[in-house]
Amino acid sequence: MRYIIIMCLLTMSINVSYSQMSWEQHAGFGLYKYPNSIHASMRTYSGGINFWLDSTYTEGSILTSRFMELYDGNENCVFTKNNLRLTKNQGGSTVNRVNIDQNGINGVNGGSWPTYAIDGTTDGRLRLYNGSGRLNVYAGSAGTLNRGAVYIYGESSNRALAGMYIQSNGGTAQGVLFADVKNFKVQHPDDDEKEIWFASVEGPEVGAYDRGTAQLSSGETFVPFGEAYRLMANPSSMTVQVTPHSAETYGLAVISKTSDGFYVKELKDGNGNFTFDWEVKCVRRGHEDFEVIRPVLDPLSDEVKRTQKAEGTKPKLRGIISNPSPF
């Protein structure tokens, strides 16, 4: 209830006439005069409330609140005009733990390193830091682009090692996922304490493949694509491999490729009726201009980038009050 009452008081200006003030100290309440300010204090056995009034005043003038502090000797809460600061007594010193102002919210650990930051004036951003104050996770916009992004950083890396973001390709928004290795994992079917991990095949293009088994008829055949592959594959980039299931042949040739499929014929005018395996690869439609080498897409602000590149430098976050309380 005490804190609810105090929060209500914060919504009102503290307009107290200097001439009406008394410097009598009562049990649990004190009003103290300093050279250029007034300090009102209400105390209990375990803690108290401090009001620090305007630092400039004249006889009979109206005093306004400079800031207010709720404290219990160990954990304090300080209110100012534009800031709320939660502090903790650590080894005899007051350290910031949480700072809230018009720019966002910052968390600080016991070593005065940032732990998280939520800010943004035009777009929202979330930053999570490790125990040494280095960035672990960023969520917000992809660089200067007004598109969503999540980036994950290594213990000592200044660049994201994994992440996902939205990019524009010819005016079409596309989702991008990147990492050093892309995996899928499933539970081991015979051992509950193990998993099976597979890694993705990688290459310098956005490829799409299809494969299957077909059969010759008198030495030739047409292999049609399924509907999904016809819609996704660019036939101008097509490559085809075929493997005959017969040792009594000179081999097979792909004699024609179309957007609907490809034609296969047995060499040396063969007229076999055997089966064969086939695999076709194409570039996905809309991804013909995939860039293999590209500039770094860094979502960090210039200020945070500078501090991250200086090994051991604490990132300076907005909203942290560095000056200690005068109480």
Side-chain angles (χ1 to χ4, degrees), residues 40-78:
S41 176
M42 291 180 286
R43 300 175 182 270
T44 65
Y45 177 78
S46 59
I49 304 168
N50 287 311
F51 294 91
W52 195 269
L53 304 179
D54 204 315
S55 59
T56 58
Y57 65 89
T58 57
E59 184 75 23
S61 67
I62 300 299
L63 296 172
T64 58
S65 175
R66 198 171 91 193
F67 57 83
M68 184 184 75
E69 180 183 52
L70 309 178
Y71 69 96
D72 65 2
N74 183 43
E75 297 180 350
N76 300 345
C77 179
V78 180

Side-chain angles (χ1 to χ4, degrees), residues 17-323:
S17 172
Y18 171 72
S19 60
Q20 296 174 346
M21 284 189 169
S22 169
W23 282 276
E24 296 180 13
Q25 184 172 0
H26 304 281
F29 177 79
L31 190 61
Y32 308 97
K33 176 183 176 183
Y34 290 86
N36 292 306
S37 61
I38 297 295
H39 171 208
S41 176
M42 291 180 286
R43 300 175 182 270
T44 65
Y45 177 78
S46 59
I49 304 168
N50 287 311
F51 294 91
W52 195 269
L53 304 179
D54 204 315
S55 59
T56 58
Y57 65 89
T58 57
E59 184 75 23
S61 67
I62 300 299
L63 296 172
T64 58
S65 175
R66 198 171 91 193
F67 57 83
M68 184 184 75
E69 180 183 52
L70 309 178
Y71 69 96
D72 65 2
N74 183 43
E75 297 180 350
N76 300 345
C77 179
V78 180
F79 300 88
T80 69
K81 180 180 180 181
N82 297 314
N83 182 276
L84 167 62
R85 175 165 52 104
L86 304 180
T87 67
K88 185 177 181 64
N89 188 314
Q90 183 171 301
S93 300
T94 300
V95 295
N96 297 323
R97 276 310 181 62
V98 178
N99 300 275
I100 304 174
D101 65 9
Q102 66 270 25
N103 293 315
I105 304 174
N106 299 318
V108 184
N109 69 12
S112 298
W113 296 103
T115 55
Y116 65 87
I118 304 174
D119 57 48
T121 55
T122 58
D123 59 337
R125 295 184 295 269
L126 168 66
R127 297 181 179 89
L128 304 178
Y129 296 84
N130 64 22
S132 299
R134 298 188 65 84
L135 189 63
N136 266 351
V137 178
Y138 167 92
S141 294
T144 59
L145 306 178
N146 190 25
R147 305 183 185 96
V150 177
Y151 293 85
I152 302 174
Y153 293 78
E155 182 177 356
S156 59
S157 174
N158 293 318
R159 293 185 178 179
L161 301 182
M164 54 186 176
Y165 63 91
I166 303 300
Q167 71 174 11
S168 177
N169 188 353
T172 301
Q174 295 177 337
V176 178
L177 177 68
F178 68 92
D180 289 340
V181 180
K182 279 75 70 180
N183 303 301
F184 81 83
K185 70 179 181 70
V186 296
Q187 181 65 44
H188 194 292
D190 300 323
D191 191 337
D192 291 339
E193 296 184 358
K194 293 182 180 180
E195 296 174 332
I196 297 175
W197 286 62
F198 275 38
S200 301
V201 177
E202 300 174 347
E205 64 180 7
V206 181
Y209 80 92
D210 198 1
R211 66 187 181 91
T213 300
Q215 185 167 2
L216 295 177
S217 176
S218 299
E220 60 185 335
T221 192
F222 177 76
V223 180
F225 297 141
E227 178 184 9
Y229 196 75
R230 290 200 313 270
L231 295 173
M232 298 303 295
N234 181 343
S236 66
S237 63
M238 186 188 307
T239 59
V240 183
Q241 292 180 312
V242 291
T243 305
H245 292 174
S246 173
E248 304 298 326
T249 179
Y250 287 103
L252 301 175
V254 176
I255 60 174
S256 178
K257 297 182 289 188
T258 74
S259 59
D260 295 320
F262 58 93
Y263 288 92
V264 177
K265 186 174 178 60
E266 189 176 5
L267 298 180
K268 300 283 189 177
D269 292 325
N271 59 358
N273 296 303
F274 53 84
T275 58
F276 62 93
D277 294 333
W278 60 271
E279 184 175 30
V280 59
K281 294 185 176 72
C282 292
V283 172
R284 277 181 54 189
R285 293 181 186 269
H287 293 269
E288 292 82 357
D289 297 326
F290 178 78
E291 293 182 79
V292 177
I293 300 176
R294 60 181 72 185
V296 174
L297 181 61
D298 194 338
L300 298 179
S301 67
D302 290 339
E303 176 185 0
V304 178
K305 278 197 294 184
R306 286 195 299 270
T307 58
Q308 287 292 322
K309 290 179 180 178
E311 187 71 33
T313 301
K314 300 178 183 179
K316 182 179 181 181
L317 300 178
R318 295 176 297 180
I320 294 181
I321 301 177
S322 57
N323 58 300

Side-chain angles (χ1 to χ4, degrees), residues 1-11 42 49 51 68 70 79:
M1 178 62 71
R2 183 183 70 180
Y3 293 105
I4 294 175
I5 295 173
I6 296 306
M7 292 301 293
C8 293
L9 290 174
L10 286 175
T11 62
M42 291 180 286
I49 304 168
F51 294 91
M68 184 184 75
L70 309 178
F79 300 88

